């Protein structure tokens, strides 16, 4: 049994994660280490985190839709491709050694920091989108591969999805995020099912974390995604580096 204030910590971390995931991505780089530090085995932390992400993406999808932002049916095509890929990734994740998982996660964290720091600044002006023909099929293949990674760890994937949709499909930041949250919601259902069937989910901690994730996602989806982005990235880089170093040396 955890002390009551740890549950408050989960809600607080969840709010930050939901906000960061919706505005940019990479929030799981905070929630996954937090769950591990609170005593969950790596595979269970990975599965438990999926509960909160399902709630988070449902809330952020509703928030974006309430503002009239939707990329249907493009987002559904990408979501279905990711759904299939995530089944593969989740089955890999449920059997992985805990120490190996922590090492992989720490490397992923540092790789995402590198991408955040060195990716050119996103432009916000209107661009002609490329959502059909060969651009659709290439996107479907890429998101199938994203789905494998998402089913395996998911940490930092939202940010990579956003970058791909922006630079390849030429979506602005708002529509990239709106697409991302729908895709993640769809493929996260299959990943969560795999973890649950393999008894790798702590439902109590997952639902408490989900309270924060959902709240943060709703606020972020209705907030101007142009504001505070630089601060969030700076905050994420600092925290991710610290947690990556600690995860690398944590004992199983």
């Amino acid at each position: 049994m955890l002390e009551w204030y740890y549950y408050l910590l989960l809600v607080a971390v969840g709010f930050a994660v939901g906000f960061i995931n919706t505005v940019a991505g990479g929030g799981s780089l905070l929630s996954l280490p937090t769950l591990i530090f609170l005593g969950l085995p790596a595979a269970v932390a990975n599965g438990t985190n999926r509960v909160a992400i399902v709630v988070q993406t449902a809330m952020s999808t509703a928030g974006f839709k309430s503002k009239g932002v939707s990329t249907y049916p493009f987002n559904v095509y990408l979501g279905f491709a990711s759904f299939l890929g995530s089944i593969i990734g989740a089955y890999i994740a449920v059997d992985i050694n805990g120490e190996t998982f922590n090492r992989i996660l720490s490397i992923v964290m540092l790789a995402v920091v590198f991408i955040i720091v060195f990716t050119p600044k996103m432009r916000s002006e209107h661009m002609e989108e490329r959502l059909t023909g060969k651009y659709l099929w290439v996107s479907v293949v890429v998101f199938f591969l994203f789905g494998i990674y998402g089913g395996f760890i998911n940490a930092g994937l939202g940010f990579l999805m956003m970058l791909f949709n922006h630079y390849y499909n030429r979506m602005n930041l708002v529509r990239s995020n709106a697409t991302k949250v729908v895709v993640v919601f769809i493929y996260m259902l299959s990943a969560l099912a795999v973890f649950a069937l393999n008894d790798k989910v702590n439902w109590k901690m997952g639902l408490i974390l989900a309270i924060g994730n959902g709240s943060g996602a709703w606020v972020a989806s209705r907030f101007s995604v142009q504001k505070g982005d630089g601060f969030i990235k700076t905050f994420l880089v600092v925290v991710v580096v610290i947690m990556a170093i600690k995860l690398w040396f944590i004992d199983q």
Side-chain angles (χ1 to χ4, degrees), residues 222-236:
R222 294 177 57 83
F223 188 73
S224 172
V225 295
Q226 305 297 336
K227 297 180 180 180
D229 193 54
F231 168 78
I232 291 173
K233 287 181 181 180
T234 301
F235 175 80
L236 182 60

Side-chain angles (χ1 to χ4, degrees), residues 38-56:
L38 290 179
L40 292 185
V44 178
N46 198 0
T48 300
N49 190 49
R50 310 307 174 106
V51 179
I53 294 177
V54 168
V55 174
Q56 163 205 300

Side-chain angles (χ1 to χ4, degrees), residues 24-25 112 115 143 146 149 155-165:
V112 171
I115 293 171
F143 272 73
F146 280 165
Y149 174 77
L157 180 57
F159 191 81
L160 300 180
M161 287 181 174
M162 184 180 65
L163 291 176
F164 182 85
N165 283 148

Side-chain angles (χ1 to χ4, degrees), residues 13-31 49 52-54 56-57 60 64 154-159 161-162 176-178 180-181 184 188 209 213 216-217 220-221 225 232 236:
V13 169
F15 184 91
V17 168
F19 192 95
I20 292 171
N21 274 342
T22 303
V23 172
S28 290
L29 298 174
L30 302 179
S31 55
N49 190 49
I53 294 177
V54 168
Q56 163 205 300
T57 50
S60 54
F64 278 119
N154 193 65
L157 180 57
F159 191 81
M161 287 181 174
M162 184 180 65
S176 294
N177 277 313
K180 174 193 68 185
V181 297
V184 175
M188 198 56 65
L209 182 65
N213 276 55
S221 62
V225 295
I232 291 173
L236 182 60

Side-chain angles (χ1 to χ4, degrees), residues 89-146:
Y91 271 110
I92 296 173
V94 295
D95 293 325
I96 195 170
N97 174 271
E99 182 177 355
T100 302
F101 178 86
N102 284 345
R103 295 291 176 88
I104 293 174
L105 180 57
S106 66
I107 292 172
V108 168
M109 285 176 157
L110 295 177
V112 171
V113 168
F114 181 86
I115 293 171
I116 292 173
V117 171
F118 292 102
T119 297
K121 183 177 178 61
M122 290 187 173
R123 303 184 306 275
S124 59
E125 67 268 18
H126 175 73
M127 296 176 291
E128 184 178 351
E129 295 182 345
R130 306 188 298 191
L131 308 183
T132 59
K134 68 176 183 179
Y135 301 107
L136 171 60
W137 289 109
V138 170
S139 299
V140 165
V141 172
V142 170
F143 272 73
F144 172 77
L145 299 176
F146 280 165

Side-chain angles (χ1 to χ4, degrees), residues 2 7 10 35 38 40 48 202-210:
L2 295 176
Y7 294 119
L10 276 178
L35 290 169
L38 290 179
L40 292 185
T48 300
N202 184 311
W203 290 100
K204 182 178 181 180
M205 292 180 69
L207 291 172
I208 292 173
L209 182 65

